[in-house]
Amino acid sequence: MNIPFLDFKHMHSQIRPEIIQAFADVYDSYWYINGTEVSRFEKHYANFNDTEYAVGVSNGLDALTLSLKVLGIGPGDEVVVPIHTYIATVLSISHVGATPVFVEPSLRTYNIDIHQLEKVVTSRTKAIIPVHLYGQACEMEAIVTFAQKYGLYVVEDNAQAHGSHYNGRKTGSWGIVNAASFYPGKNLGALGDAGVITTNDSHLAKEVIKLRNYGSDKKYVNDIIGYNMRLDEMQAAFLTVKLNYIDDWNEERKEIASWYTSGLASLNDITIPYIVNKSDHVFHLYVILVDKRDQLQNYLKDQGIHTLVHYPIPPHLQSAYNHLGLKKGTFPRAEMLADKCLSLPLYPGLTKDLVDQVIEVIYDFYE
Ligand SMILES: *Cc1c(COP(=O)(O)O)cnc(C)c1O
């Protein structure tokens, strides 16, 4: 048996002719940066995400960094962020010179615990970055209410939840500016690095367009000190093709997740995903909690089933954040999740038969 953690074969063979055509069109256009493919993708993505504007950028980390930058967040400012997230969310805060202020996850959803937001607010707090982790939308109404109360910006990290929604409103459309990643393994993935910023604010959209391109929206005229954080024509063309399939692929992810859930629900040793009322979950990852995580992971691996851990070391225990002086024990929930979480294989094309085999091997382990 060999069940990979992620397999592009089903998705990419389905769209191969369209991708090859998209490649040929860009190749033959002789125009590879700042052209019509990027603006076409931006239009389609804004429409998909229910926002006025989408601005293509180089990757998810740059999308987050530019989002904070365009809001004027910098040294001396604090940004509230979940401690249980991928490190890139935190890095973006550091890259603009601001200070991350961590909040523990909810033990039901693993997203930021909305009941612990109030206690971290100071006079320096400028923004909050909710992360729709694993594909489940955060409780956005509570987060927006909290942000309004303290005059904070909301910047969503929608890297794992393209197409998800909270109470019918799309993730990536709640914040003032929002970031997403199209890293290949994300629900909507490019064939290389790519990202996007979504917003309803025309001024911020214009500023981001400048910031990503040397501070310029007119060749050789530089208004501000910008970056090179552009999305390229090739990736934009591939993304336009894949965007037509994302809703179907998300539905397929949900169906696969439901097979795992019904198969594993009666196993007391395992905590299966909990979906909060009003939240949609597009299952970027199917994450279970187990006590003997490493043993189970090795047992599965010996049977040819490949799993991953998202994520094994929380940001505060990474060497990169030594200077914050946050010792082990500071965030017991996040540390517990890092020890117990396990992501099972999940990708469009994964069959019921293979999922049943994974479930069977998990039962074997506990017998
Ligand atoms: C993938 C990811 C990022 C970073 O995206 P890149 O395109 O790899 O830079 C940021 N935040 C979260 C939650 C992610 O999963």
Side-chain angles (χ1 to χ4, degrees):
M1 176 162 32
N2 178 35
I3 305 179
F5 177 73
L6 167 63
D7 189 351
F8 289 111
K9 192 173 173 190
H10 169 85
M11 284 183 285
H12 284 189
S13 56
Q14 189 183 0
I15 61 173
R16 193 172 192 282
E18 287 178 85
I19 290 285
I20 299 299
Q21 187 60 50
F23 168 81
D25 290 346
V26 175
Y27 191 75
D28 293 335
S29 76
Y30 305 140
W31 194 280
Y32 308 113
I33 295 285
N34 283 353
T36 53
E37 289 295 342
V38 169
S39 39
R40 185 157 72 123
F41 172 67
E42 289 174 338
K43 215 172 80 204
H44 288 306
Y45 195 79
N47 183 49
F48 164 78
N49 205 54
D50 294 336
T51 52
E52 289 293 321
Y53 308 95
V55 181
V57 295
S58 32
N59 57 60
L61 172 56
D62 289 348
L64 285 160
T65 306
L66 281 188
S67 295
L68 298 176
K69 187 85 191 165
V70 79
L71 294 172
I73 292 167
D77 296 336
E78 293 176 356
V79 178
V80 178
V81 66
I83 183 66
H84 187 60
T85 183
Y86 182 54
I87 190 104
T89 322
V90 186
L91 295 176
S92 70
I93 300 168
S94 304
H95 284 314
V96 298
T99 304
V101 176
F102 299 115
V103 173
E104 284 265 56
S106 149
L107 286 177
R108 296 194 307 172
T109 66
Y110 316 139
N111 279 330
I112 195 164
D113 185 351
I114 54 169
H115 304 295
Q116 299 198 29
L117 298 176
E118 300 261 346
K119 67 179 186 193
V120 302
V121 176
T122 73
S123 58
R124 292 181 296 276
T125 313
K126 290 283 150 49
I128 175 170
I129 310 183
V131 182
H132 309 294
L133 202 69
Y134 305 151
Q136 176 164 203
C138 291
E139 290 152 278
M140 288 310 297
E141 275 158 3
I143 289 169
V144 167
T145 303
F146 160 77
Q148 279 169 351
K149 179 170 171 191
Y150 292 99
L152 312 180
Y153 294 124
V154 175
V155 176
E156 295 171 74
D157 179 341
N158 199 30
Q160 302 194 358
H162 323 116
S164 189
H165 58 82
Y166 183 78
N167 200 15
R169 179 165 162 194
K170 284 264 171 87
T171 56
S173 75
W174 292 76
I176 178 121
V177 270
N178 310 295
S181 162
F182 303 124
Y183 180 83
K186 301 287 158 80
N187 287 29
L188 178 61
L191 306 181
D193 275 313
V196 76
I197 289 171
T198 51
T199 182
N200 289 317
D201 186 307
S202 64
H203 172 71
L204 292 174
K206 280 200 195 96
E207 289 303 299
V208 170
I209 287 168
K210 282 187 204 169
L211 277 173
R212 73 171 174 189
N213 187 50
Y214 317 123
S216 165
D217 57 8
K218 195 166 162 223
K219 215 171 168 73
Y220 307 126
V221 179
N222 300 80
D223 301 336
I224 47 178
I225 299 175
Y227 303 87
N228 176 351
M229 293 184 174
R230 295 179 303 236
L231 174 64
D232 65 73
E233 289 285 285
M234 206 58 97
Q235 295 305 332
F238 299 150
L239 285 164
T240 298
V241 171
K242 284 186 140 190
L243 189 57
N244 288 324
Y245 296 85
I246 182 68
D247 287 332
D248 288 346
W249 287 338
N250 278 346
E251 284 310 310
E252 211 175 324
R253 285 175 180 277
K254 289 180 193 184
E255 188 178 24
I256 293 163
S258 76
W259 298 333
Y260 276 128
T261 292
S262 49
L264 296 171
S266 59
L267 249 187
N268 288 328
D269 303 277
I270 288 184
T271 305
I272 53 172
Y274 175 91
I275 306 177
V276 80
N277 186 29
K278 295 192 194 172
S279 285
D280 182 40
H281 196 324
V282 291
F283 286 98
H284 173 57
L285 297 170
Y286 190 94
V287 178
I288 59 171
L289 296 196
V290 286
D291 280 331
K292 288 181 277 177
R293 194 264 317 278
D294 294 347
Q295 289 99 309
L296 175 60
Q297 183 172 37
N298 285 329
Y299 187 81
L300 287 162
K301 191 173 162 219
D302 289 341
Q303 317 278 323
I305 297 167
H306 301 276
T307 59
L308 289 175
V309 171
H310 299 92
Y311 297 90
I313 305 172
H316 69 291
L317 301 180
Q318 299 282 1
S319 303
Y321 285 104
N322 264 346
H323 61 277
L324 297 177
L326 300 167
K327 302 260 163 347
K328 200 169 165 72
T330 312
F331 298 107
R333 289 185 183 179
E335 291 165 24
M336 181 277 286
L337 290 179
D339 289 339
K340 293 190 177 180
C341 68
L342 186 67
S343 308
L344 302 179
L346 195 162
Y347 47 85
L350 183 63
T351 61
K352 176 95 172 35
D353 181 48
L354 291 179
V355 168
D356 285 344
Q357 290 182 43
V358 176
I359 293 167
E360 203 178 304
V361 175
I362 293 174
Y363 271 87
D364 288 347
F365 175 79
Y366 285 106
E367 264 159 19

